[in-house]
Amino acid sequence: MLLKSLWKSKRLNIILLLLVNIVPCFAQNFEADVIVYGGTCGAITAAVQVVKSGKTVLVVSPDKHLGGLSSGGLGFTDTGNKAVIGGLAREFYHRVFLHYDKPEAWQWQKKDEYGNKGQGTPAMDGADRTMWIFEPHVAEQVFEDFAKENNLKIYRDEWLDRKKGVEKKNGKIVSIKTLSGKTFKGKMFIDATYEGDLMATAGVKYHVGREANSVYGEEWNGIQSEVFQHGHYFKKNISPYKIEGDPKSGLLPYVSAEKIGKKGDGDHKIQAYCFRMCLSANPDNRIPFAKPAGYDPGKYELLARVYKAGWTETFDKYDPIPNKKTDTNNHGPFSTDFIGQNYDYPDATYERRKQIIKEHEQYQKGLMYYLSNDSHVPDEVRKEMSKWGLPKDEFKDNGGWPHQIYVREARRMIGQSVMTENETLGKKPVTQSVGMGSYSLDAHNAQRYVKADGFVQNEGDIGVHPKTPYSISYTAIIPKKAECQNLLVPVCLSATHIAYGSIRMEPVFMILGQSAAAAAVQAIDGNLAVQDVDYGKLREQLLKDKQKLEF
């Protein structure tokens, strides 16, 4: 009996010993000074800055591919005034330059055959040794190089548990947990996603949709009916009804039955999303547009009527990038923007977001097939479209289709201060600059509706140019202290809908990601809340890192 008891005791001790020594090897707990959530361009520059500052960092990325839109098809960079792009952002564009400075980079065309066209600037700027126009795979490789050179530890395809994945204590985030069960503990956290999921789950207040002009004393926010500042509207009277001119026949697809609100009022609507397709007209590097599952040509009847009315601008936004490819963006009254089909995306579940993304993909693939094949499309358009397709050498794991939808805006934090059009247009001063913007206040259409006269129209398209570049305040990338003391938000930052229309450019996200990380490091060193960081010291560091803070 005694021997049996000793054996049981010994066995129990062995089991306990195994549990103590072996189970931790399989633990899903990770820790670093700074946790960056996201895989966007801003997430990578933030992580690099942390490493360069001598701190540890973990990147927790829902994405498998690094770079967000910068590597997801947006190769025709929205630069604005490139003189105000500094720091790691400029380093990114310098590395792109170095790539295309090599003869072997020009696989499908000679370097001197490339038009060198950018947005108001040469694509390849030899004097500054920067290049602003590039192929998606080149951008992704630059981000991968950043990660490799700085030994970034990146956990890919890791999705924040938005129900119970944020642990907070005394106003600070202690750790975050992903759906796979991994826990990431840190002193500082940076939400660098397009959606702002960490920010929202942490209890930080935010806004979705368009604020009324009256809220912040703006002119270009809110509903903007009969305002047309790009070419994305119906220039001629087009009937929105299934039987032209007959309201009883019902509306065509993608036309809202909702009556438009009062001009200047706020609403829940957000500007349209699309995929920034990379296309190729090179027969040796082209995947022809296939008929997508569930294809219905009737969904594009509105476009047929636009063509019938004489519209001729199909190829105006096939912007050239190297190697006979394009960054193809929305253009015209009925194009790749899937107007009105994304309103619930910012707060939607992961499952619903995937559904919205798939709906956008099917719509856009169907549109390309329609343009290539349908008899309602003019012969000259179909003939030209037959030359185009997806590139074989881009997005190889996704059949040539971009891996990132263009989330032009989602949630926007309501932080310590709010950037409005008044700051971006120079009507109000900005203090505590951590970077600069310069692009136009650029909002795409938010709705397609029926006017009082019975014809269809789009609404929400704005393009107001600032006279000079403007500063972006540190107080716009941090929450209110009462909400969270160790979180920085450089992408879903604190800005109104229309101000965000200018700030939301990829170079700016890189700039703000780097600045957010510099602030996080100083908060750690001083054992401070991010709201208590000494701006003078932060400014000194940013200038040392070659950031541009004033124009």
Side-chain angles (χ1 to χ4, degrees):
M1 194 72 178
L2 179 60
L3 288 172
K4 192 174 182 180
S5 179
L6 286 170
W7 165 243
K8 286 183 178 180
S9 176
K10 188 176 181 180
R11 185 171 60 179
L12 182 60
N13 287 337
I14 291 171
I15 293 171
L16 290 173
L17 189 65
L18 288 171
L19 289 172
V20 169
N21 290 283
I22 296 177
V23 171
C25 296
F26 299 97
Q28 297 284 290
N29 299 315
F30 307 91
E31 187 171 352
D33 293 319
V34 180
I35 306 298
V36 177
Y37 184 62
T40 62
C41 63
I44 302 308
T45 56
V48 170
Q49 178 68 22
V50 174
V51 171
K52 289 183 178 297
S53 302
K55 294 289 189 285
T56 58
V57 64
L58 296 175
V59 179
V60 184
S61 173
D63 311 309
K64 295 178 182 178
H65 297 272
L66 302 183
L69 255 296
S70 286
S71 61
L74 205 165
F76 198 74
T77 305
D78 304 309
T79 52
N81 188 325
K82 62 187 180 183
V84 299
I85 299 172
L88 289 170
R90 182 163 284 268
E91 172 66 15
F92 170 83
Y93 297 106
H94 172 59
R95 291 189 180 211
V96 172
F97 173 90
L98 293 178
H99 171 84
Y100 286 109
D101 203 34
K102 300 173 183 176
E104 58 266 30
W106 300 89
Q107 180 183 4
W108 301 112
Q109 72 181 145
K110 294 180 181 179
K111 184 179 177 181
D112 57 10
E113 292 177 351
Y114 177 62
N116 205 33
K117 175 188 174 185
Q119 287 206 46
T121 182
M124 179 175 279
D125 190 335
D128 284 345
R129 294 179 64 79
T130 52
M131 187 160 178
W132 308 91
I133 312 299
F134 45 83
E135 298 160 277
H137 77 271
V138 173
E140 185 171 1
Q141 187 57 56
V142 173
F143 289 117
E144 291 290 352
D145 290 344
F146 275 151
K148 184 177 180 180
E149 292 165 17
N150 293 278
N151 295 313
L152 297 184
K153 184 63 178 176
I154 302 175
Y155 294 84
R156 306 181 195 229
D157 199 20
E158 290 291 342
W159 300 77
L160 177 69
D161 182 342
R162 290 161 57 191
K163 293 181 179 179
K164 51 184 179 181
V166 175
E167 180 188 356
K168 287 179 71 177
K169 187 176 181 180
N170 298 325
K172 293 184 177 181
I173 301 172
V174 175
S175 65
I176 64 173
K177 189 175 182 179
T178 59
L179 293 177
S180 70
K182 296 182 179 68
T183 298
F184 299 89
K185 185 178 181 181
K187 298 172 184 174
M188 289 287 151
F189 293 80
I190 298 174
D191 185 340
T193 61
Y194 292 123
E195 294 83 6
D197 284 340
L198 174 55
M199 170 192 72
T201 309
V204 173
K205 292 181 180 178
Y206 60 88
H207 189 84
V208 174
R210 302 183 287 187
E211 299 92 344
N213 280 332
S214 58
V215 177
Y216 295 103
E218 297 176 293
E219 179 181 359
W220 300 109
N221 207 337
I223 298 169
Q224 297 289 325
S225 50
E226 300 302 310
V227 176
F228 310 118
Q229 295 178 333
H230 292 108
H232 313 318
Y233 65 99
F234 293 87
K235 298 178 182 179
K236 295 185 179 180
N237 289 336
I238 303 292
S239 175
Y241 302 111
K242 292 178 181 178
I243 299 175
E244 293 191 56
D246 182 6
K248 293 181 180 178
S249 65
L251 291 169
L252 289 174
Y254 316 130
V255 180
S256 173
E258 182 182 344
K259 290 187 177 181
I260 192 166
K262 184 180 177 182
K263 186 175 180 179
D265 281 357
D267 60 19
H268 70 286
K269 298 176 174 64
I270 56 177
Q271 58 181 313
Y273 297 170
C274 70
F275 285 91
R276 291 289 284 255
M277 295 179 297
C278 180
L279 301 182
S280 173
N282 182 351
D284 297 323
N285 190 37
R286 177 175 62 89
I287 305 170
F289 297 117
K291 182 189 289 188
Y295 171 73
D296 177 5
K299 293 180 178 179
Y300 307 99
E301 170 62 24
L302 202 56
L303 178 57
R305 294 180 188 180
V306 172
Y307 278 126
K308 187 178 178 181
W311 188 71
T312 59
E313 302 171 20
T314 304
F315 302 100
D316 281 20
K317 282 300 291 178
Y318 280 49
D319 293 314
I321 64 175
N323 285 309
K324 295 184 177 180
K325 299 174 191 174
T326 72
D327 168 355
T328 298
N329 195 13
N330 176 81
H331 182 76
F334 191 105
S335 185
T336 57
D337 276 4
F338 202 14
I339 299 173
Q341 308 303 310
N342 61 340
Y343 297 155
D344 59 332
Y345 181 89
D347 282 315
T349 63
Y350 291 137
E351 290 74 19
R352 173 57 184 148
R353 282 186 192 161
K354 288 178 182 178
Q355 183 181 2
I356 293 169
I357 291 168
K358 191 64 179 178
E359 289 166 356
H360 279 69
E361 179 182 339
Q362 289 174 329
Y363 163 79
Q364 206 160 322
K365 284 182 174 179
L367 174 63
M368 303 313 289
Y369 183 81
Y370 179 85
L371 290 170
S372 306
N373 294 279
D374 199 276
S375 60
H376 292 90
V377 176
D379 291 342
E380 62 270 21
V381 174
R382 276 186 288 147
K383 184 177 179 180
E384 178 64 22
M385 279 302 303
S386 67
K387 302 175 183 177
W388 291 93
L390 300 174
K392 294 178 181 178
D393 60 351
E394 301 288 350
F395 314 117
K396 292 181 180 180
D397 61 348
N398 203 32
W401 192 255
H403 46 68
Q404 174 67 59
I405 193 170
Y406 195 174
V407 180
R408 288 191 170 94
E409 66 176 307
R411 300 182 179 101
R412 303 185 310 280
M413 179 172 65
I414 303 174
Q416 273 214 320
S417 71
V418 179
M419 292 287 296
T420 75
E421 74 175 45
N422 298 309
E423 285 77 22
T424 63
L425 296 179
K427 296 178 182 179
K428 288 185 178 181
V430 175
T431 60
Q432 300 188 28
S433 174
V434 289
M436 301 196 74
S438 62
Y439 203 79
S440 65
L441 279 67
D442 181 33
H444 283 229
N445 283 305
Q447 61 182 323
R448 179 177 289 138
Y449 68 103
V450 181
K451 299 186 294 177
D453 61 8
F455 296 108
V456 67
Q457 193 52 271
N458 297 334
E459 181 276 322
D461 181 64
I462 300 295
V464 179
H465 292 269
K467 293 180 180 178
T468 62
Y470 56 88
S471 295
I472 301 167
S473 178
Y474 175 61
T475 56
I477 66 170
I478 55 175
K480 294 174 182 176
K481 193 172 184 179
E483 294 174 0
C484 193
Q485 298 174 27
N486 65 338
L487 174 68
L488 298 106
V489 186
V491 177
C492 291
L493 74 159
S494 183
T496 63
H497 156 75
I498 196 58
Y500 195 77
S502 173
I503 296 169
R504 65 178 179 85
M505 304 304 156
E506 293 288 291
V508 179
F509 289 154
M510 290 189 227
I511 292 166
L512 296 180
Q514 181 179 5
S515 294
V521 168
Q522 292 196 358
I524 292 171
D525 287 342
N527 194 25
L528 300 168
V530 294
Q531 294 83 4
D532 297 329
V533 166
D534 184 329
Y535 175 71
K537 291 182 179 179
L538 176 59
R539 176 184 175 84
E540 183 180 345
Q541 181 63 50
L542 297 180
L543 292 174
K544 183 179 178 181
D545 293 329
K546 298 181 180 180
Q547 293 273 48
K548 307 293 184 180
L549 303 182
E550 284 90 20
F551 184 66

